[in-house]
Every structure is written in C-alpha cells, then in structure tokens.
Amino acid sequence: MSEDQRKVYDSFKKIAFDTLNSGNSSATFQVLPYLTRLRQICITPSLFQENYKGESGKLKE
C-alpha cells in the first residue's frame, strides 16, 4: 500500500470506527458497507475518491 493510499485508508477507517462505536443501534448494519469500502481503498482509492491522484499499491494508473 502506498503512503497516499494509507492516508485515505486510515482516515476512512477512523470514520467507520467512530460511527460503529457511536452507540447508535442502526450503525451496526453498516459494518459490511464499511468493510467493502476499506477493501476497495486497498485496491485503489480511485474507486472511492473520484479525484484521487496518488499512487496505488495494486494498480498502475
């Protein structure tokens, strides 16, 4: 994973963690979408961010 990719991943991971630990019972239903999004970011953040210009660890863009 590139450094740019890691920054995007860590920031989204924090958002997901905060949402899931908010105590809101409906937040637990969002676990799978958050995991899916984190997996997409691992492939390339351009799947998640339209204007991503950094490097990807798996794809050459």
Side-chain angles (χ1 to χ4, degrees):
M1 189 178 296
S2 70
E3 187 176 325
D4 294 334
Q5 194 173 4
R6 172 59 70 178
K7 288 177 187 176
V8 174
Y9 183 89
D10 287 341
S11 65
F12 188 78
K13 183 174 72 171
K14 182 180 179 346
I15 292 168
F17 185 78
D18 291 345
T19 302
L20 295 172
N21 286 322
S22 67
N24 186 353
S25 62
S26 66
T28 56
F29 292 107
Q30 296 178 347
V31 170
L32 291 177
Y34 281 130
L35 289 175
T36 300
R37 187 63 67 188
L38 288 169
R39 290 181 66 215
Q40 289 173 337
I41 293 170
C42 286
I43 296 169
T44 181
S46 63
L47 293 173
F48 174 64
Q49 288 183 338
E50 208 171 289
N51 59 351
Y52 179 76
K53 300 295 182 199
E55 293 183 8
S56 173
K58 291 188 176 187
L59 298 177
K60 299 294 180 195
E61 296 179 22

